[in-house]
Amino acid sequence: MKIETTSDQALGYPAEVMGWGRYPRSHSNVLPIFSPREAERALQQRVGLTLLGRGQGRAYGDAASNSGNVCLDFTPSDRFLGFDAKRGLLHAEAGVTLEQILNEFIPRGWFLPVTPGTKYPTLGGCVACDVHGKNHLSISNYLERLHMLLADGSYVTCSPKEKPDLFWATTGGMGLTGLILSVELRLQPIESSYLRYEGIKANNLEEIFRLFEESETCPMTVAWIDCLAQGRTLGRSIMMRGEFARKADLKTSARRRQALAVSHNPKLIVPINFPAMSLNRFTVAAFNAVYFGKHPKRVEAIMDYDSFFYPLDSVLQWNLIYGKPGMVQYQFLIPSKHSFEGIKTLLEAISATGKASFLAVLKKFGPMKPQGPISFPVPGYFLALDFPVGNGEILKHMERWDELVLKFGGRIYLAKDANLRAETFRAMYPRLDEWLQVKKKYDPNNVFVSDMARRLGLLSPGGAVPKMKKSKLGTRGK
Amino acid sequence: MKTVLILGANSGMARALARLTASPAVQLILAGRNTKEMEKTAADLEVRGHGPKPFIMAFDAQATETHEKFWSQVLAKVKVVDEVYLFFGQMHPQAEAQKDFHLAEEMLVTNYVGAVSILERVAATMEERKQGLIVGVSSVAGDRGRRSNYLYGSSKAGLSAFLSGLRSRLVPAGVHVLTVKPGFVDTPMTAGMKKGLLFAKPETIARGILKAVKAKKDVVYLPFFWRWIMLVIIHIPEGMFKKTRL
Ligand SMILES: Cc1cc2nc3c(=O)[nH]c(=O)nc-3n(C[C@H](O)[C@H](O)[C@H](O)COP(=O)(O)OP(=O)(O)OC[C@H]3O[C@@H](n4cnc5c(N)ncnc54)[C@H](O)[C@@H]3O)c2cc1C
Ligand SMILES: NC(=O)c1ccc[n+]([C@@H]2O[C@H](COP(=O)([O-])OP(=O)(O)OC[C@H]3O[C@@H](n4cnc5c(N)ncnc54)[C@H](OP(=O)(O)O)[C@@H]3O)[C@@H](O)[C@H]2O)c1
């Protein structure tokens, strides 16, 4: 008794969709992807609607939004598909989160080869942004293969050897080349999940740059910088260096026995509607003064990986402290040649506007071979700062800073961006045309589109430019 | 080693339950239509090191003529099946199923006829062995026919009535039957429905099922508050109820 049916499934449900910054907000349909079949169905039934892969929404701006169209939510695709324990090669579906990987593989002596400052993103999202961490290379350097579903409905595998154009356009390609279904990632072996941490205070920008140059061989470095310091103390910061501890480095025998412990640091939750007022320039300045004031010239410690890599994760939903208007992150990179001058000029410009940044992180990328055509990392220094959107004044400031960044040959990180203009973006990423050719090859009709793609012109040249629509696929009752 | 058969193993809820059930002391048998997908679930459980690699078997609830053979193949593979969890189900939007009887028929045949067909065979074996557990996933939608979803609802009403009779029949044999009535759950079945506070995660339902099995419950609403919602709904007098848009 076999019955064939051709029932139309609605393409997801309507929802308000936004990034981690909660700015800008968008409305679109969200279709949960439990298996590639649902993505395949979406390709067949989209009737003019555009699609976009989406993970945990940890990118700050509009990278994972697709107003009036459909976001394919990959978070239910969270299965491990294989693990080669000899090589540490993990094959996992795109919706697996970094946290799930850590919880499962730390006890077996493996860690992520690269990790952003939060463990909640998905693997797919991390590949699409080609994320970087405290070490020197981005995640694309540790990928063996990507398994994708393309606009024409074909399932393909790509790697630096196989379809390299697709591979490099996808790493850092912000989800616009196709859907990432699963990822083969090489993990790094560890003896313990603790880090030997060293914190060094730098009184100004010269000092912190010198520390970075001296730390070239340190596996992981990053600096926490006080953006409100001016004049003599401009650039005062704390350099944080770390490397995984060997088992023998752990002092107590109890720790040694549990060298591969999974961290479960207590989590705080920020109450909803935390007043945006409580985070003004004075509270930030006071916080920074206390933090820097208290920090000795140099500290050494053994630290668990949560405290070292993910200090922000200890406050779940901390993005809510910026109130209803949300926040933006400004992450710019100045290539090696002009790094010092560029960072100094921007720090001065930023600090002159008196805009408080609660978090500011400075980091150096050392020499590396060319990455994906629109991937962020190139040798140089970058700075990342958070700002409340408030009345929107900050966005105007950012446009001025963009001009300065451009003057020094620098660039903005798309995973954090919500505000860049198309012409500025084009000037910042000289290999954009190379990327657009690959987009044209694999997605000539712009099936995969995001609000960011519309804003920055990350669309197939010659292909139709899909508009934002009022979502025509509504809900259905139960 | 305990053997556990999951029917409709690609269901969102079934995947969650498999992850919670897998252990070195359990041999899972995943049965469903799409074997490629089941292989991914099996790989996941294997990578997590939760237990022996699950067996995978093709099973189509609508193809009732194949069920006899399917069940004997299962028994040939594992000799004894200790627990059977039935998750498969089909839901089409009421408006479409009203227009196209094929869609209505597909729901009735899958959710009711298919379930009865396979569970009757399972029951016979367990009754003879005087041991076993049958968990059938029905729905709150089966508690009362509502205009917005009565074609699906009536297939689940049939399943609930069947499970209740089966439970009673198997009491003397010491075989336990649990009826599960979930509310809204975030799975492919509800992919097109707006998510609100009433939606539960498949993991929550899977945990609830295992807890109810442990507690030897007969019928369980998941999450628990659906019991109270449905209590109100079934007590609205028909004269009034027929005028609601529920
Ligand atoms: C507190 C915090 C700290 C951070 N620190 C860092 C850092 O140190 N370094 C760094 O590089 N980044 C950092 N980030 C950014 C974050 O790591 C990246 O934006 C990451 O990609 C987010 O992953 P996600 O799963 O949330 O993806 P989303 O935000 O949902 O999506 C990001 C992009 O990936 C695409 N995408 C997602 N899944 C798929 C898929 N399956 N197929 C195709 N495309 C897909 C989307 O279209 C979108 O363009 C940080 C973010 C936060 C909130
Ligand atoms: N989601 C809810 O809100 C909700 C609420 C109450 C009750 N339920 C019930 O809960 C159970 C689990 O559903 P779910 O929510 O997890 O949805 P789901 O992921 O859509 O699962 C339904 C599964 O049933 C399978 N199936 C359908 N027809 C089949 C057939 N003829 N033969 C074999 N398998 C068949 C499907 O297999 P394929 O993969 O091959 O299509 C699918 O894997 C269902 O019985 C459903 O009716 C769901």
Side-chain angles (χ1 to χ4, degrees), chain A residues 20 53 55-59 63 116-118 121-122 125 128-129 131-132 174-175 180 413:
Chain A
W20 184 245
Q56 288 281 0
R58 247 61 184 189
T118 167
T122 65
C129 295
V131 296
H132 51 265
M174 308 310 287
I180 302 165
Y413 184 24

Side-chain angles (χ1 to χ4, degrees), chain A residues 37 478, chain B residues 8 10-14 32-34 59-62 87-90 110-111 137-140 152 156 182-190 199:
Chain A
R37 286 184 304 165
K478 187 172 177 175
Chain B
N10 287 325
S11 112
M13 288 183 215
R33 289 192 293 197
N34 188 329
F59 172 78
D60 184 344
Q62 287 177 53
F87 281 98
F88 62 77
Q90 196 62 253
T110 306
N111 303 353
V137 179
S138 184
S139 170
V140 294
Y152 170 80
K156 289 297 194 183
F184 294 119
V185 191
D186 199 347
T187 69
M189 186 170 277
T190 55
F199 267 83

Side-chain angles (χ1 to χ4, degrees), chain A residues 130 136-144 159-161 164 167-168 171 186 333 336 365-380 411 431 434:
Chain A
D130 194 11
H136 303 304
L137 292 171
S138 59
I139 200 167
S140 57
N141 296 279
Y142 303 92
L143 297 176
E144 192 93 350
S159 73
K161 291 196 199 88
F167 177 84
W168 292 110
T171 55
R186 293 187 294 273
L333 176 147
S336 310
F365 283 138
M368 63 176 89
K369 61 177 175 32
Q371 310 283 305
I374 60 167
S375 175
F376 176 68
V378 286
R411 49 176 55 187
R431 292 171 65 200
E434 183 186 336

Side-chain angles (χ1 to χ4, degrees), chain B residues 138-202:
Chain B
S138 184
S139 170
V140 294
D143 279 9
R144 192 161 194 182
R146 292 167 298 122
R147 76 162 81 162
S148 63
N149 199 15
Y150 68 86
L151 286 167
Y152 170 80
S154 61
S155 72
K156 289 297 194 183
L159 177 60
S160 295
F162 166 78
L163 289 169
S164 126
L166 188 67
R167 175 164 37 248
S168 179
R169 162 184 156 193
L170 295 178
V171 165
V175 174
H176 185 58
V177 176
L178 167 66
T179 307
V180 181
K181 297 183 179 180
F184 294 119
V185 191
D186 199 347
T187 69
M189 186 170 277
T190 55
M193 291 168 66
K194 191 158 182 160
K195 305 295 181 282
L197 285 176
L198 286 179
F199 267 83
K201 288 272 154 209

